[in-house]
Coordinates of all heavy atoms in Angstrom, one line a residue:
M1 N -116.1 -80.8 -18.2 CA -116.8 -80.2 -19.4 C -116.8 -78.7 -19.4 O -116.8 -78.1 -20.5 CB -118.2 -80.7 -19.5 CG -118.4 -82.2 -19.6 SD -117.6 -82.8 -21.2 CE -119.0 -82.8 -22.2
I2 N -116.7 -78.1 -18.3 CA -116.8 -76.6 -18.3 C -115.6 -76.0 -18.9 O -115.8 -75.0 -19.7 CB -117.0 -76.1 -16.8 CG1 -118.4 -76.5 -16.3 CG2 -116.8 -74.6 -16.7 CD1 -118.7 -76.2 -14.9
I3 N -114.4 -76.4 -18.7 CA -113.2 -75.9 -19.3 C -113.2 -76.1 -20.8 O -112.9 -75.3 -21.6 CB -111.9 -76.4 -18.6 CG1 -111.9 -75.8 -17.2 CG2 -110.7 -76.0 -19.4 CD1 -110.7 -76.3 -16.4
K4 N -113.7 -77.3 -21.2 CA -113.9 -77.6 -22.6 C -114.8 -76.6 -23.3 O -114.6 -76.1 -24.4 CB -114.3 -79.0 -22.9 CG -113.2 -80.0 -22.6 CD -113.7 -81.4 -22.9 CE -112.6 -82.4 -22.7 NZ -113.1 -83.8 -22.9
E5 N -115.9 -76.3 -22.6 CA -116.9 -75.3 -23.1 C -116.2 -73.9 -23.3 O -116.5 -73.2 -24.2 CB -118.1 -75.2 -22.2 CG -119.0 -76.4 -22.1 CD -120.1 -76.3 -21.1 OE1 -120.4 -75.1 -20.6 OE2 -120.7 -77.3 -20.7
I6 N -115.4 -73.5 -22.3 CA -114.7 -72.2 -22.3 C -113.8 -72.2 -23.6 O -113.8 -71.2 -24.3 CB -113.9 -72.0 -21.0 CG1 -114.9 -71.7 -19.9 CG2 -112.9 -70.8 -21.2 CD1 -114.2 -71.7 -18.5
L7 N -113.1 -73.3 -23.8 CA -112.1 -73.3 -24.9 C -112.9 -73.2 -26.2 O -112.5 -72.6 -27.2 CB -111.3 -74.6 -24.9 CG -110.3 -74.7 -23.7 CD1 -109.7 -76.1 -23.6 CD2 -109.2 -73.6 -23.8
Q8 N -114.1 -73.9 -26.3 CA -114.9 -73.8 -27.6 C -115.4 -72.4 -27.8 O -115.3 -71.9 -28.9 CB -116.1 -74.8 -27.5 CG -115.7 -76.2 -27.7 CD -116.9 -77.1 -27.6 OE1 -117.8 -76.9 -26.9 NE2 -116.9 -78.2 -28.4
Q9 N -115.9 -71.7 -26.7 CA -116.4 -70.4 -26.8 C -115.3 -69.4 -27.2 O -115.6 -68.4 -27.8 CB -117.1 -70.0 -25.6 CG -118.5 -70.7 -25.4 CD -119.2 -70.3 -24.1 OE1 -118.9 -69.3 -23.5 NE2 -120.2 -71.0 -23.8
L10 N -114.1 -69.6 -26.7 CA -113.0 -68.7 -27.0 C -112.7 -68.6 -28.5 O -112.1 -67.6 -28.9 CB -111.7 -69.2 -26.2 CG -111.6 -68.7 -24.8 CD1 -110.3 -69.3 -24.2 CD2 -111.5 -67.2 -24.7
E11 N -113.0 -69.7 -29.2 CA -112.7 -69.7 -30.6 C -113.3 -68.5 -31.4 O -112.8 -68.0 -32.3 CB -113.1 -71.0 -31.3 CG -112.3 -72.2 -30.8 CD -112.7 -73.5 -31.4 OE1 -113.6 -73.5 -32.3 OE2 -112.3 -74.5 -30.9
N12 N -114.5 -68.1 -30.9 CA -115.3 -67.0 -31.5 C -115.4 -65.8 -30.7 O -116.2 -64.9 -31.0 CB -116.6 -67.5 -32.0 CG -116.5 -68.7 -33.0 OD1 -115.8 -68.6 -33.9 ND2 -117.3 -69.7 -32.7
S13 N -114.8 -65.7 -29.5 CA -115.0 -64.6 -28.6 C -113.9 -63.5 -28.8 O -112.8 -63.8 -29.1 CB -114.9 -65.2 -27.1 OG -115.1 -64.1 -26.2
T14 N -114.3 -62.3 -28.5 CA -113.4 -61.2 -28.5 C -113.0 -60.7 -27.1 O -112.3 -59.8 -26.9 CB -114.0 -60.0 -29.2 OG1 -115.3 -59.6 -28.6 CG2 -114.3 -60.3 -30.7
H15 N -113.5 -61.5 -26.1 CA -113.2 -61.1 -24.7 C -113.0 -62.4 -23.9 O -113.4 -63.5 -24.4 CB -114.2 -60.2 -24.1 CG -115.6 -60.8 -24.2 ND1 -116.1 -61.7 -23.4 CD2 -116.6 -60.5 -25.2 CE1 -117.4 -62.0 -23.8 NE2 -117.7 -61.3 -24.9
P16 N -112.4 -62.4 -22.7 CA -112.2 -63.6 -21.9 C -113.6 -64.2 -21.6 O -114.6 -63.6 -21.6 CB -111.6 -63.0 -20.6 CG -111.0 -61.8 -21.0 CD -111.8 -61.2 -22.1
V17 N -113.6 -65.5 -21.4 CA -114.8 -66.3 -21.2 C -114.6 -66.9 -19.8 O -113.6 -67.6 -19.5 CB -115.0 -67.5 -22.2 CG1 -116.2 -68.3 -21.8 CG2 -115.1 -66.9 -23.6
A18 N -115.6 -66.7 -18.9 CA -115.6 -67.2 -17.5 C -116.8 -68.0 -17.2 O -117.9 -67.6 -17.7 CB -115.5 -66.0 -16.5
K19 N -116.7 -69.1 -16.5 CA -117.8 -69.9 -16.1 C -117.5 -70.4 -14.7 O -116.4 -70.7 -14.3 CB -118.0 -71.1 -17.0 CG -118.4 -70.7 -18.4 CD -118.7 -71.9 -19.2 CE -119.3 -71.6 -20.6 NZ -120.6 -71.1 -20.5
A20 N -118.6 -70.6 -13.9 CA -118.5 -71.1 -12.5 C -118.2 -72.6 -12.6 O -118.9 -73.3 -13.3 CB -119.7 -70.8 -11.7
L21 N -117.2 -73.0 -11.9 CA -116.9 -74.5 -11.7 C -117.6 -75.0 -10.5 O -118.1 -76.2 -10.5 CB -115.4 -74.7 -11.5 CG -114.5 -74.6 -12.7 CD1 -113.0 -74.8 -12.3 CD2 -114.9 -75.7 -13.7
H22 N -117.7 -74.2 -9.4 CA -118.2 -74.7 -8.2 C -118.7 -73.4 -7.4 O -117.9 -72.4 -7.3 CB -117.2 -75.5 -7.4 CG -117.7 -76.2 -6.3 ND1 -118.7 -77.2 -6.4 CD2 -117.4 -76.2 -4.9 CE1 -118.9 -77.7 -5.2 NE2 -118.2 -77.1 -4.3
K23 N -119.8 -73.5 -6.7 CA -120.3 -72.4 -5.9 C -120.9 -73.0 -4.6 O -121.4 -74.1 -4.5 CB -121.5 -71.7 -6.6 CG -121.1 -71.0 -7.8 CD -122.3 -70.1 -8.2 CE -123.0 -70.6 -9.5 NZ -124.0 -69.8 -10.0
G24 N -120.7 -72.2 -3.5 CA -121.3 -72.5 -2.3 C -121.9 -71.2 -1.7 O -121.9 -70.1 -2.3
D25 N -122.3 -71.3 -0.4 CA -122.9 -70.1 0.2 C -121.9 -69.0 0.4 O -122.2 -67.8 0.4 CB -123.5 -70.4 1.6 CG -124.7 -71.3 1.4 OD1 -125.4 -71.3 0.4 OD2 -125.1 -72.0 2.4
H26 N -120.6 -69.3 0.6 CA -119.6 -68.3 0.9 C -118.4 -68.4 0.0 O -117.3 -67.8 0.4 CB -119.2 -68.4 2.4 CG -120.3 -68.4 3.3 ND1 -121.0 -67.2 3.6 CD2 -121.0 -69.3 4.0 CE1 -122.0 -67.4 4.4 NE2 -122.0 -68.7 4.7
F27 N -118.5 -69.1 -1.1 CA -117.3 -69.2 -2.0 C -117.8 -69.4 -3.4 O -118.9 -69.8 -3.7 CB -116.4 -70.3 -1.6 CG -116.9 -71.7 -1.9 CD1 -116.5 -72.3 -3.1 CD2 -117.8 -72.3 -1.0 CE1 -117.0 -73.6 -3.4 CE2 -118.3 -73.6 -1.4 CZ -117.9 -74.2 -2.5
K28 N -116.8 -69.2 -4.3 CA -117.1 -69.5 -5.8 C -115.8 -69.8 -6.4 O -114.8 -69.1 -6.1 CB -117.7 -68.3 -6.4 CG -118.2 -68.5 -7.9 CD -118.6 -67.2 -8.6 CE -119.8 -66.6 -7.9 NZ -120.3 -65.4 -8.7
V29 N -115.7 -70.7 -7.3 CA -114.5 -71.0 -8.1 C -114.9 -70.9 -9.6 O -115.9 -71.5 -10.1 CB -114.0 -72.5 -7.9 CG1 -112.8 -72.8 -8.7 CG2 -113.7 -72.7 -6.4
L30 N -114.2 -70.0 -10.2 CA -114.5 -69.7 -11.6 C -113.3 -70.1 -12.5 O -112.1 -70.0 -12.0 CB -114.6 -68.2 -11.9 CG -115.8 -67.5 -11.2 CD1 -115.6 -66.0 -11.4 CD2 -117.1 -67.9 -11.7
A31 N -113.6 -70.6 -13.7 CA -112.5 -70.9 -14.7 C -112.6 -69.7 -15.7 O -113.7 -69.4 -16.1 CB -112.7 -72.2 -15.4
I32 N -111.5 -69.2 -16.1 CA -111.5 -68.1 -17.0 C -110.5 -68.4 -18.1 O -109.3 -68.8 -17.9 CB -111.0 -66.7 -16.3 CG1 -111.8 -66.5 -15.1 CG2 -111.1 -65.6 -17.3 CD1 -111.3 -65.3 -14.2
G33 N -111.0 -68.3 -19.4 CA -110.2 -68.6 -20.5 C -109.8 -67.3 -21.3 O -110.7 -66.4 -21.4
F34 N -108.6 -67.2 -21.7 CA -108.1 -66.1 -22.5 C -107.4 -66.5 -23.8 O -106.7 -67.6 -23.7 CB -107.0 -65.3 -21.7 CG -107.4 -64.7 -20.4 CD1 -107.4 -65.4 -19.2 CD2 -107.7 -63.3 -20.4 CE1 -107.8 -64.8 -18.0 CE2 -108.1 -62.7 -19.1 CZ -108.1 -63.5 -18.0
R35 N -107.6 -65.8 -24.8 CA -106.7 -66.0 -26.0 C -105.6 -64.9 -25.8 O -105.9 -63.8 -25.2 CB -107.4 -65.7 -27.3 CG -108.2 -67.0 -27.7 CD -108.6 -66.9 -29.2 NE -108.8 -65.6 -29.6 CZ -110.0 -65.2 -30.1 NH1 -111.0 -66.0 -30.2 NH2 -110.1 -63.9 -30.5
S36 N -104.4 -65.1 -26.3 CA -103.3 -64.2 -26.2 C -103.8 -62.8 -26.6 O -104.5 -62.6 -27.6 CB -102.2 -64.6 -27.1 OG -101.1 -63.7 -27.0
G37 N -103.5 -61.8 -25.8 CA -103.9 -60.4 -26.1 C -105.2 -59.9 -25.4 O -105.5 -58.7 -25.4
M38 N -106.0 -60.9 -25.0 CA -107.3 -60.5 -24.4 C -107.1 -59.9 -23.0 O -106.1 -60.2 -22.3 CB -108.2 -61.7 -24.2 CG -108.8 -62.2 -25.5 SD -109.9 -63.6 -25.1 CE -110.8 -63.7 -26.7
V39 N -108.0 -58.9 -22.7 CA -107.8 -58.2 -21.4 C -109.1 -58.3 -20.6 O -110.2 -58.1 -21.2 CB -107.5 -56.7 -21.6 CG1 -107.5 -55.9 -20.3 CG2 -106.2 -56.6 -22.4
L40 N -109.0 -58.7 -19.4 CA -110.2 -58.6 -18.4 C -110.0 -57.2 -17.8 O -109.1 -57.0 -17.0 CB -110.1 -59.7 -17.4 CG -111.3 -59.9 -16.5 CD1 -112.5 -60.1 -17.2 CD2 -111.0 -61.0 -15.5
K41 N -110.8 -56.2 -18.3 CA -110.7 -54.8 -17.9 C -110.8 -54.6 -16.4 O -111.2 -55.4 -15.7 CB -111.7 -54.0 -18.7 CG -111.5 -54.1 -20.2 CD -112.5 -53.3 -20.9 CE -112.3 -53.4 -22.4 NZ -113.3 -52.7 -23.2
D42 N -110.4 -53.3 -16.0 CA -110.5 -52.9 -14.6 C -111.8 -53.3 -14.0 O -112.9 -53.1 -14.5 CB -110.3 -51.4 -14.5 CG -108.8 -51.0 -14.6 OD1 -107.9 -51.8 -14.6 OD2 -108.6 -49.8 -14.6
H43 N -111.7 -54.0 -12.8 CA -112.8 -54.4 -12.1 C -112.4 -54.6 -10.6 O -111.2 -54.5 -10.3 CB -113.5 -55.6 -12.6 CG -112.6 -56.8 -12.6 ND1 -111.5 -57.0 -13.5 CD2 -112.5 -57.9 -11.8 CE1 -110.9 -58.1 -13.2 NE2 -111.5 -58.7 -12.2
Q44 N -113.3 -54.9 -9.7 CA -113.1 -55.1 -8.3 C -113.7 -56.5 -7.9 O -114.8 -56.8 -8.4 CB -113.6 -54.0 -7.4 CG -112.9 -52.7 -7.6 CD -113.4 -51.7 -6.6 OE1 -114.3 -51.9 -5.9 NE2 -112.7 -50.5 -6.6
A45 N -113.0 -57.2 -7.1 CA -113.6 -58.4 -6.6 C -114.4 -58.1 -5.3 O -113.9 -57.2 -4.5 CB -112.5 -59.4 -6.2
I46 N -115.5 -58.7 -5.1 CA -116.4 -58.4 -4.0 C -115.8 -59.1 -2.7 O -115.8 -58.6 -1.6 CB -117.8 -58.9 -4.2 CG1 -118.4 -58.1 -5.4 CG2 -118.6 -58.8 -3.0 CD1 -119.7 -58.7 -5.9
L47 N -115.2 -60.3 -3.0 CA -114.6 -61.1 -1.9 C -113.1 -61.3 -2.1 O -112.6 -61.2 -3.2 CB -115.2 -62.5 -1.8 CG -116.7 -62.6 -1.6 CD1 -117.2 -64.0 -1.9 CD2 -117.1 -62.2 -0.2
P48 N -112.3 -61.5 -1.0 CA -110.9 -61.8 -1.2 C -110.8 -63.0 -2.2 O -111.6 -64.0 -2.1 CB -110.4 -62.2 0.2 CG -111.4 -61.6 1.1 CD -112.7 -61.6 0.4
S49 N -109.8 -63.0 -3.1 CA -109.7 -64.0 -4.2 C -108.3 -64.4 -4.4 O -107.4 -63.8 -3.9 CB -110.3 -63.4 -5.5 OG -111.6 -62.9 -5.3
K50 N -108.2 -65.5 -5.1 CA -106.8 -66.0 -5.5 C -106.9 -66.4 -6.9 O -107.8 -67.2 -7.4 CB -106.4 -67.2 -4.6 CG -105.0 -67.7 -5.0 CD -104.6 -68.9 -4.1 CE -104.3 -68.5 -2.7 NZ -103.0 -67.8 -2.5
L51 N -106.0 -65.9 -7.7 CA -105.9 -66.2 -9.2 C -104.8 -67.2 -9.4 O -103.7 -67.0 -8.9 CB -105.6 -64.9 -10.0 CG -105.5 -65.0 -11.5 CD1 -106.9 -65.4 -12.1 CD2 -105.0 -63.7 -12.1
T52 N -105.1 -68.3 -10.0 CA -104.1 -69.4 -10.3 C -104.1 -69.6 -11.8 O -105.2 -69.8 -12.4 CB -104.5 -70.7 -9.6 OG1 -104.6 -70.4 -8.2 CG2 -103.5 -71.8 -9.8
V53 N -102.9 -69.6 -12.4 CA -102.8 -69.9 -13.8 C -102.6 -71.4 -14.0 O -101.6 -71.9 -13.4 CB -101.6 -69.1 -14.4 CG1 -101.4 -69.4 -15.9 CG2 -101.8 -67.6 -14.2
L54 N -103.5 -72.0 -14.7 CA -103.3 -73.4 -15.0 C -102.5 -73.7 -16.3 O -101.8 -74.7 -16.4 CB -104.7 -74.1 -15.2 CG -105.6 -74.1 -13.9 CD1 -106.9 -74.8 -14.2 CD2 -104.9 -74.7 -12.7
R55 N -102.7 -72.8 -17.2 CA -102.0 -72.9 -18.5 C -101.8 -71.5 -19.1 O -102.6 -70.6 -19.0 CB -102.9 -73.7 -19.5 CG -102.2 -73.9 -20.9 CD -103.0 -74.9 -21.7 NE -104.1 -74.1 -22.4 CZ -105.0 -74.7 -23.1 NH1 -105.1 -76.0 -23.2 NH2 -105.9 -73.9 -23.7
G56 N -100.6 -71.3 -19.7 CA -100.3 -70.0 -20.3 C -99.6 -69.1 -19.4 O -98.9 -69.5 -18.5
S57 N -99.9 -67.8 -19.7 CA -99.2 -66.7 -18.9 C -100.1 -65.5 -19.0 O -100.6 -65.1 -20.1 CB -97.8 -66.4 -19.5 OG -97.2 -65.4 -18.8
V58 N -100.2 -64.8 -17.8 CA -101.0 -63.6 -17.8 C -100.3 -62.5 -17.0 O -99.3 -62.8 -16.2 CB -102.4 -63.8 -17.1 CG1 -103.2 -64.8 -17.9 CG2 -102.3 -64.2 -15.7
L59 N -100.7 -61.2 -17.2 CA -100.1 -60.1 -16.5 C -101.2 -59.6 -15.6 O -102.3 -59.2 -16.1 CB -99.6 -59.0 -17.5 CG -98.9 -57.8 -17.0 CD1 -97.6 -58.2 -16.2 CD2 -98.6 -56.8 -18.1
Y60 N -101.0 -59.6 -14.3 CA -101.9 -59.0 -13.3 C -101.5 -57.6 -13.0 O -100.3 -57.4 -12.6 CB -101.9 -60.0 -12.1 CG -102.8 -59.4 -11.0 CD1 -104.1 -59.6 -11.0 CD2 -102.2 -58.7 -9.9 CE1 -104.9 -59.1 -10.0 CE2 -103.0 -58.2 -8.9 CZ -104.3 -58.4 -8.9 OH -105.1 -57.9 -7.9
N61 N -102.4 -56.7 -13.1 CA -102.1 -55.3 -12.8 C -103.0 -54.8 -11.7 O -104.3 -54.9 -11.8 CB -102.3 -54.4 -14.0 CG -101.3 -54.6 -15.0 OD1 -100.1 -54.2 -14.8 ND2 -101.7 -55.2 -16.1
E62 N -102.4 -54.2 -10.6 CA -103.2 -53.7 -9.5 C -102.5 -52.4 -9.1 O -101.5 -52.4 -8.4 CB -103.2 -54.7 -8.4 CG -103.9 -54.2 -7.1 CD -103.8 -55.2 -6.0 OE1 -104.3 -56.4 -6.2 OE2 -103.2 -54.9 -4.9
G63 N -103.0 -51.2 -9.6 CA -102.4 -50.0 -9.3 C -100.9 -50.0 -9.8 O -100.7 -50.2 -11.0
E64 N -100.0 -49.7 -8.9 CA -98.6 -49.7 -9.3 C -98.0 -51.1 -9.4 O -96.9 -51.3 -9.9 CB -97.8 -49.0 -8.2 CG -98.2 -47.5 -8.0 CD -97.6 -46.6 -9.1 OE1 -96.5 -46.8 -9.5 OE2 -98.4 -45.7 -9.4
K65 N -98.7 -52.1 -8.9 CA -98.2 -53.5 -8.8 C -98.5 -54.2 -10.2 O -99.7 -54.2 -10.6 CB -98.9 -54.2 -7.7 CG -98.6 -55.7 -7.5 CD -99.2 -56.1 -6.1 CE -99.9 -57.4 -6.2 NZ -100.5 -57.8 -5.0
E66 N -97.5 -54.8 -10.7 CA -97.6 -55.6 -12.0 C -96.9 -56.9 -11.8 O -95.7 -56.9 -11.5 CB -97.1 -54.8 -13.1 CG -97.3 -55.4 -14.5 CD -96.8 -54.4 -15.6 OE1 -97.6 -53.6 -16.0 OE2 -95.6 -54.6 -16.0
I67 N -97.6 -58.0 -12.0 CA -97.0 -59.3 -11.8 C -97.3 -60.2 -13.0 O -98.4 -60.3 -13.5 CB -97.7 -60.0 -10.6 CG1 -97.5 -59.2 -9.3 CG2 -97.0 -61.4 -10.3 CD1 -98.3 -59.7 -8.1
T68 N -96.2 -60.8 -13.5 CA -96.4 -61.8 -14.6 C -96.5 -63.1 -13.9 O -95.7 -63.6 -13.1 CB -95.1 -61.8 -15.5 OG1 -95.0 -60.5 -16.1 CG2 -95.3 -62.9 -16.6
L69 N -97.6 -63.8 -14.3 CA -97.9 -65.1 -13.7 C -97.8 -66.2 -14.8 O -98.4 -66.0 -15.9 CB -99.4 -65.1 -13.1 CG -99.6 -64.2 -12.0 CD1 -101.1 -64.1 -11.7 CD2 -98.9 -64.6 -10.8
Q70 N -97.0 -67.2 -14.5 CA -96.8 -68.3 -15.5 C -97.7 -69.5 -15.0 O -98.3 -69.4 -13.9 CB -95.3 -68.7 -15.5 CG -94.4 -67.6 -15.8 CD -94.4 -67.1 -17.3 OE1 -94.8 -67.9 -18.1 NE2 -94.1 -65.9 -17.5
E71 N -97.6 -70.6 -15.7 CA -98.3 -71.8 -15.4 C -98.1 -72.2 -13.9 O -96.9 -72.2 -13.5 CB -97.8 -72.9 -16.3 CG -98.7 -74.1 -16.3 CD -98.3 -75.0 -17.5 OE1 -98.5 -74.6 -18.6 OE2 -97.8 -76.1 -17.2
Y72 N -99.1 -72.4 -13.1 CA -99.2 -72.8 -11.7 C -98.8 -71.7 -10.7 O -98.9 -71.9 -9.5 CB -98.2 -74.0 -11.5 CG -98.5 -75.1 -12.4 CD1 -97.4 -75.7 -13.1 CD2 -99.7 -75.7 -12.7 CE1 -97.6 -76.7 -14.0 CE2 -99.9 -76.7 -13.6 CZ -98.8 -77.2 -14.3 OH -99.0 -78.2 -15.2
D73 N -98.6 -70.5 -11.2 CA -98.4 -69.3 -10.3 C -99.7 -68.9 -9.8 O -100.7 -69.0 -10.4 CB -97.7 -68.2 -11.0 CG -96.2 -68.4 -11.3 OD1 -95.6 -69.3 -10.7 OD2 -95.7 -67.7 -12.1
T74 N -99.7 -68.3 -8.6 CA -100.9 -67.7 -8.0 C -100.6 -66.3 -7.4 O -99.4 -65.9 -7.2 CB -101.4 -68.6 -6.8 OG1 -100.4 -68.5 -5.7 CG2 -101.6 -70.0 -7.2
T75 N -101.6 -65.5 -7.3 CA -101.6 -64.3 -6.6 C -102.9 -64.0 -5.8 O -103.9 -64.4 -6.3 CB -101.2 -63.1 -7.5 OG1 -100.9 -61.9 -6.8 CG2 -102.4 -62.7 -8.4
D76 N -102.8 -63.4 -4.7 CA -103.9 -63.0 -3.9 C -104.5 -61.7 -4.4 O -103.7 -60.8 -4.7 CB -103.6 -62.9 -2.4 CG -103.3 -64.3 -1.8 OD1 -104.0 -65.3 -2.1 OD2 -102.3 -64.4 -1.1
I77 N -105.8 -61.6 -4.4 CA -106.5 -60.3 -4.8 C -107.3 -59.9 -3.6 O -108.2 -60.6 -3.2 CB -107.3 -60.6 -6.0 CG1 -106.5 -61.1 -7.2 CG2 -108.0 -59.3 -6.4 CD1 -107.3 -61.6 -8.4
S78 N -107.1 -58.7 -3.1 CA -107.9 -58.2 -2.0 C -109.3 -57.8 -2.5 O -109.4 -57.3 -3.6 CB -107.2 -57.0 -1.4 OG -105.9 -57.3 -0.9
A79 N -110.2 -57.8 -1.6 CA -111.6 -57.4 -1.9 C -111.5 -55.9 -2.2 O -110.8 -55.1 -1.6 CB -112.5 -57.7 -0.8
K80 N -112.4 -55.4 -3.1 CA -112.6 -54.0 -3.4 C -111.3 -53.3 -3.9 O -111.1 -52.1 -3.6 CB -113.2 -53.3 -2.2 CG -114.6 -53.9 -1.9 CD -115.2 -53.2 -0.7 CE -116.5 -54.0 -0.4 NZ -117.2 -53.5 0.8
T81 N -110.4 -54.1 -4.5 CA -109.2 -53.5 -5.1 C -109.3 -53.5 -6.6 O -109.5 -54.6 -7.2 CB -107.9 -54.3 -4.7 OG1 -107.9 -54.3 -3.2 CG2 -106.7 -53.7 -5.2
T82 N -109.2 -52.4 -7.3 CA -109.3 -52.3 -8.7 C -108.1 -53.0 -9.4 O -106.9 -52.7 -9.0 CB -109.4 -50.9 -9.2 OG1 -110.5 -50.3 -8.6 CG2 -109.5 -50.8 -10.7
H83 N -108.3 -53.9 -10.3 CA -107.2 -54.6 -11.0 C -107.7 -55.0 -12.4 O -108.9 -54.9 -12.7 CB -106.8 -55.8 -10.2 CG -107.9 -56.8 -10.0 ND1 -108.9 -56.7 -9.0 CD2 -108.2 -58.0 -10.6 CE1 -109.8 -57.7 -9.1 NE2 -109.4 -58.5 -10.0
N84 N -106.8 -55.5 -13.2 CA -107.1 -56.1 -14.5 C -106.1 -57.2 -14.8 O -105.1 -57.3 -14.1 CB -107.1 -55.0 -15.6 CG -105.7 -54.4 -15.8 OD1 -104.8 -55.1 -16.3 ND2 -105.6 -53.1 -15.6
V85 N -106.5 -58.0 -15.8 CA -105.6 -59.2 -16.2 C -105.5 -59.2 -17.7 O -106.5 -59.1 -18.4 CB -106.2 -60.5 -15.7 CG1 -105.4 -61.7 -16.1 CG2 -106.5 -60.5 -14.2
S86 N -104.3 -59.3 -18.2 CA -104.0 -59.4 -19.6 C -103.4 -60.7 -20.0 O -102.4 -61.1 -19.3 CB -103.1 -58.2 -20.1 OG -103.6 -57.0 -19.7
A87 N -103.8 -61.3 -21.0 CA -103.2 -62.6 -21.4 C -102.0 -62.4 -22.3 O -102.0 -61.7 -23.3 CB -104.2 -63.4 -22.2
L88 N -100.8 -62.9 -21.8 CA -99.6 -62.9 -22.6 C -99.5 -64.0 -23.6 O -98.8 -64.0 -24.6 CB -98.4 -62.9 -21.7 CG -98.3 -61.7 -20.7 CD1 -97.2 -61.9 -19.7 CD2 -98.2 -60.4 -21.4
Q89 N -100.3 -65.1 -23.3 CA -100.4 -66.3 -24.1 C -101.8 -66.8 -24.0 O -102.5 -66.3 -23.1 CB -99.5 -67.4 -23.6 CG -98.0 -67.1 -23.6 CD -97.2 -68.2 -23.0 OE1 -97.7 -69.1 -22.3 NE2 -95.9 -68.2 -23.2
D90 N -102.2 -67.7 -24.8 CA -103.5 -68.4 -24.6 C -103.4 -69.0 -23.2 O -102.4 -69.6 -22.8 CB -103.7 -69.5 -25.6 CG -104.0 -69.0 -27.0 OD1 -104.1 -67.8 -27.2 OD2 -104.1 -69.8 -27.9
S91 N -104.5 -68.7 -22.3 CA -104.4 -69.1 -20.9 C -105.7 -69.6 -20.4 O -106.8 -69.2 -20.8 CB -103.9 -67.9 -20.1 OG -102.7 -67.4 -20.5
I92 N -105.6 -70.4 -19.3 CA -106.7 -70.9 -18.5 C -106.3 -70.6 -17.1 O -105.3 -71.0 -16.6 CB -107.0 -72.4 -18.7 CG1 -107.4 -72.7 -20.1 CG2 -108.1 -72.8 -17.7 CD1 -108.8 -72.2 -20.5
C93 N -107.2 -69.9 -16.4 CA -107.0 -69.5 -15.0 C -108.1 -70.0 -14.1 O -109.3 -70.1 -14.6 CB -106.8 -68.0 -14.8 SG -105.5 -67.3 -15.8
L94 N -107.8 -70.2 -12.8 CA -108.9 -70.4 -11.8 C -108.9 -69.2 -10.9 O -107.9 -68.7 -10.5 CB -108.6 -71.6 -11.0 CG -108.7 -73.0 -11.6 CD1 -108.5 -74.1 -10.6 CD2 -110.1 -73.2 -12.2
L95 N -110.1 -68.7 -10.6 CA -110.3 -67.7 -9.7 C -111.1 -68.2 -8.5 O -112.3 -68.6 -8.7 CB -111.0 -66.5 -10.3 CG -111.2 -65.3 -9.4 CD1 -109.9 -64.6 -9.1 CD2 -112.2 -64.3 -10.0
T96 N -110.5 -68.3 -7.3 CA -111.2 -68.8 -6.1 C -111.6 -67.6 -5.3 O -110.7 -66.7 -4.9 CB -110.3 -69.7 -5.3 OG1 -109.8 -70.7 -6.2 CG2 -111.0 -70.3 -4.2
Q97 N -112.9 -67.4 -5.0 CA -113.4 -66.3 -4.2 C -114.0 -66.8 -3.0 O -114.8 -67.7 -3.0 CB -114.4 -65.5 -5.0 CG -113.9 -64.9 -6.3 CD -115.0 -64.2 -7.0 OE1 -116.1 -64.7 -7.2 NE2 -114.7 -63.0 -7.6
G98 N -113.7 -66.1 -1.8 CA -114.4 -66.5 -0.6 C -113.4 -66.5 0.6 O -112.3 -66.3 0.5

């Protein structure tokens, strides 16, 4: 139901929508929904993370590093590294932290 809720909220949102799928003492799994053109602005992850694209395509930017991620692609995100994510298409991603 959580991903369905994200898709519903995206219909009226001007920014990406994120919700926790699962949390524990030392980890968190988030689902993040984007409409094409939406940007998750510069931020830092507190914990090492992995971004996985379930649907669509996003552009991951980390300093000089720029990676286009398609459906089922993943990239690792180091803790305390400034980065941003831009949607090239309507997209659903998982962010695993911990």
Side-chain angles (χ1 to χ4, degrees):
M1 296 298 265
I2 292 173
I3 293 176
K4 286 182 181 180
E5 289 174 19
I6 290 171
L7 292 172
Q8 285 180 326
Q9 288 182 12
L10 274 174
E11 291 176 12
N12 299 313
S13 183
T14 58
H15 53 82
V17 177
K19 291 188 176 287
L21 283 175
H22 192 59
K23 293 190 251 187
D25 291 338
H26 304 288
F27 75 94
K28 186 188 299 185
V29 180
L30 299 172
I32 308 171
F34 297 85
R35 281 197 327 241
S36 183
M38 286 184 168
V39 177
L40 189 57
K41 296 180 182 179
D42 280 353
H43 62 282
Q44 293 185 352
I46 297 169
L47 300 170
S49 304
K50 182 177 290 282
L51 180 66
T52 303
V53 179
L54 297 181
R55 183 171 84 186
S57 178
V58 299
L59 184 63
Y60 174 82
N61 290 290
E62 179 184 298
E64 302 279 324
K65 180 171 135 182
E66 185 174 275
I67 303 170
T68 299
L69 300 169
Q70 306 288 336
E71 196 169 290
Y72 311 127
D73 288 342
T74 64
T75 191
D76 291 318
I77 303 170
S78 301
K80 300 180 183 174
T81 301
T82 301
H83 61 279
N84 64 65
V85 181
S86 303
L88 301 173
Q89 301 174 343
D90 290 355
S91 302
I92 297 289
C93 300
L94 289 183
L95 183 68
T96 307
Q97 298 179 316

